[in-house]
Amino acid sequence: MGTNKELESSLQQLRLLNQVAKDITSTLGLEPRLGFICQSIIDIMGVKGVSIRMLDQKTNRLELACACGLSEAYIHKGPVDADKSLAKALEGGPHFVLDAYADPGLQYPEAARREGLVSVLSLPLKGRTKVIGTLRLYTGERRAFTQDEIDFLSALAAQGAISLENARNYDTLEKQDKAKSDFIMMMTHELKAPLMAVQGLLDVMQKGYVGPLTEKQKELIARIYRRIDSLMEVSTDLLDIYEWQTERPDTQSISLSMNEQIQRAVDLFKTSAREKGLTMDVDLPDEDLILMGSEDEIEKILNNLITNAIKYTPKGGNISLALSASGGSVVFIIKDSGIGIDDQDISKVFDKFFRSKGAKKIDPYGKGLGLPFVKQIVEGLGGTIRVKSEEGKGSEFILAFPTPG
Ligand code: ADP
């Protein structure tokens, strides 16, 4: 039986293996996984430094992916050629050098000496079909690794390689996804200028500046105009969502009184509600309920929900808005006595472009982009949104936000 220290060290090794195995299926990006692996090896093995290099197939160079315990000067000593350095490790087995400075295989012996590196152990990171990089441990004294240690590190490198391969694929997918949305948004933006120009020309025709129009021609031009309007609205909505997604990381969150925000939104919409023959009730608590967010975000949430309530509630109906504090959350409920949503559709209302049959009858030009956007913003603020509804009776949207601590 081993000593307490040996047992503790084995336990740590197992914990790390277990963690890296779990990481295989996680969607964490590449960088946090690498940092975690490098630092854990330093802690467990008591070595001076650890580096992970990924093989660039095109240049046959080992590009640094992560390093711990090594100076900037050493890390950036120069390009690491896969053939000269780490050749053994790349072939598939661990490679050990007891005295790095004296070993002819080392590409930068002088840099290693300046850094105070003595022994170096290199292990291959074997992906599913090929070696994808190397894991290197550096010590500050002559140190021979035991077979147990090499076995542990080989197991870790095997698990880590699969995890890193997944992370790399995940990062690539994310980049492709971003490039795709950037492209779509650029196209959407570019489309708006010619669409506006077409509208301008239609306007000139409609006003009779290029000669009198027949009734049929006027009707057709009006239809074209409406279609273009609708396309412009989708473009504006999509650009709005995109802008919010890209700018969100830099948006400053401030303390906002939800009471004030709601009152302001109600003031904005009360005339259009009255004109449609709807009553609007507001129930705000005496104390100010605070949310962390930006005015623009809260405005977008409230405007979307109130516009929908007005749009989907027939004449004579009622809309009520209520704010309260409940169970550590700020709860906002907007309820209407409108057309409601049937059971089949209720799970789809937060899907992009979804619109119910009843909604299309009321407003043929809606886009089905408002609620998905509202949901994204609410969740971005750490909140939740759900809906209760009965067809023909009305709908209720319930939003809960964490109370700032
Ligand atoms: P849009 O209003 O442009 O259709 P939204 O994303 O805001 O887009 O809403 C998506 C769909 O959810 C609507 O088309 C409608 O079917 C349903 N919906 C949203 N709000 C209400 C409401 N207050 N009452 C009934 N149905 C609603």
Side-chain angles (χ1 to χ4, degrees):
M1 184 158 157
T3 62
N4 273 351
K5 212 169 152 224
E6 281 166 348
L7 276 175
E8 179 56 32
S9 155
S10 307
L11 202 63
Q12 276 184 324
Q13 292 183 357
L14 278 175
R15 272 201 209 110
L16 179 58
L17 275 176
N18 193 19
Q19 180 62 42
V20 174
K22 270 200 241 152
D23 261 4
I24 287 178
T25 51
S26 94
T27 51
L28 260 185
L30 195 56
E31 269 181 36
R33 292 185 201 216
L34 295 173
F36 172 74
I37 294 175
C38 285
Q39 193 52 52
S40 303
I41 295 176
I42 291 190
D43 295 345
I44 296 175
M45 306 291 294
V47 291
K48 182 176 165 65
V50 173
S51 70
I52 293 179
R53 286 184 179 268
M54 306 294 273
L55 182 64
D56 184 331
Q57 305 283 350
K58 282 194 207 116
T59 59
N60 200 35
R61 289 221 169 117
L62 286 159
E63 300 296 345
L64 185 79
C66 182
C68 286
L70 300 169
S71 71
E72 283 294 309
Y74 185 73
I75 292 169
H76 302 296
K77 58 191 182 294
V80 177
D81 202 324
D83 288 335
K84 289 198 196 95
S85 179
L86 316 178
K88 279 262 167 44
L90 283 169
E91 274 162 23
H95 178 60
F96 174 64
V97 175
L98 190 60
D99 190 346
Y101 185 51
D103 193 280
L106 208 76
Q107 204 183 339
Y108 295 96
E110 193 48 44
R113 195 183 61 80
R114 273 200 304 272
E115 185 75 1
L117 305 177
V118 182
S119 303
V120 182
L121 175 65
S122 308
L123 296 115
L125 293 171
K126 288 188 216 162
R128 284 173 184 81
T129 54
K130 53 186 181 289
V131 172
I132 60 164
T134 58
L135 167 69
R136 246 182 174 191
L137 280 74
Y138 307 84
T139 67
E141 68 291 320
R142 281 168 77 90
R143 169 165 167 186
F145 290 88
T146 65
Q147 192 55 46
D148 276 354
E149 285 175 329
I150 292 179
D151 287 347
F152 157 65
L153 289 165
S154 301
L156 182 69
Q159 297 269 38
I162 306 284
S163 168
L164 295 181
E165 210 170 41
N166 285 355
R168 202 149 62 156
N169 293 342
Y170 174 75
D171 281 0
T172 311
L173 280 180
E174 266 214 327
K175 273 193 204 122
Q176 284 172 346
D177 209 38
K178 165 124 192 7
K180 214 162 56 185
S181 2
D182 285 352
F183 177 72
I184 293 171
M185 286 310 130
M186 190 194 71
M187 290 299 294
T188 310
H189 191 260
E190 290 299 308
L191 267 178
K192 281 182 89 173
L195 285 177
M196 273 168 80
V198 173
Q199 274 191 326
L201 293 174
L202 290 174
D203 203 36
V204 169
M205 290 168 84
Q206 247 174 352
K207 287 184 175 139
Y209 296 142
V210 282
L213 297 176
T214 66
E215 281 312 304
K216 188 72 196 162
Q217 285 168 334
K218 277 187 193 157
E219 187 205 318
L220 285 175
I221 288 178
R223 274 167 60 188
I224 299 172
Y225 201 95
R226 268 204 307 275
R227 284 295 169 114
I228 291 181
D229 243 2
S230 165
L231 207 56
M232 298 264 281
E233 270 177 39
V234 188
S235 312
T236 309
D237 286 355
L238 284 174
L239 285 169
D240 238 22
I241 298 176
Y242 176 75
E243 198 179 273
W244 175 80
Q245 282 171 342
T246 42
E247 284 175 9
R248 166 132 188 90
D250 302 322
T251 306
Q252 285 279 325
S253 276
I254 53 167
S255 297
L256 292 168
S257 153
M258 213 29 197
N259 311 46
E260 271 176 31
Q261 298 292 317
I262 293 171
Q263 194 55 58
R264 202 182 302 164
V266 169
D267 290 344
L268 191 69
F269 287 102
K270 64 183 176 207
T271 313
S272 46
R274 197 180 324 118
E275 278 171 358
K276 198 182 166 185
L278 305 173
T279 50
M280 216 172 181
D281 313 322
V282 193
D283 181 9
L284 298 176
D286 292 335
E287 59 158 337
D288 258 352
L289 297 184
I290 305 297
L291 271 197
M292 291 303 291
S294 74
E295 276 194 9
D296 189 42
E297 288 176 319
I298 307 290
E299 220 171 74
K300 282 195 169 100
I301 295 173
L302 295 173
N303 291 0
N304 261 300
L305 293 173
I306 300 175
T307 313
N308 277 351
I310 295 177
K311 190 159 63 172
Y312 300 121
T313 305
K315 191 173 177 205
N318 173 262
I319 297 168
S320 66
L321 296 92
L323 181 69
S324 62
S326 161
S329 300
V330 173
V331 179
F332 168 66
I333 299 178
I334 173 163
K335 194 172 172 176
D336 64 58
S337 61
I339 59 167
I341 304 157
D342 75 20
D343 289 348
Q344 274 188 333
D345 287 344
I346 203 145
S347 60
K348 301 180 202 149
V349 293
F350 295 109
D351 292 349
K352 274 199 191 99
F353 301 111
F354 171 78
R355 309 202 62 227
S356 68
K357 275 203 194 100
K360 281 183 197 161
K361 254 190 236 154
I362 290 179
D363 170 17
Y365 302 106
K367 308 290 168 309
L369 284 170
L371 283 184
F373 189 25
V374 166
K375 187 168 190 272
Q376 276 195 35
I377 303 178
V378 169
E379 289 175 354
L381 295 170
T384 57
I385 178 165
R386 60 196 175 89
V387 54
K388 284 195 217 160
S389 186
E390 207 178 320
E391 203 180 4
K393 293 249 167 88
S395 311
E396 188 175 346
F397 288 85
I398 303 138
L399 286 70
F401 298 94
T403 313

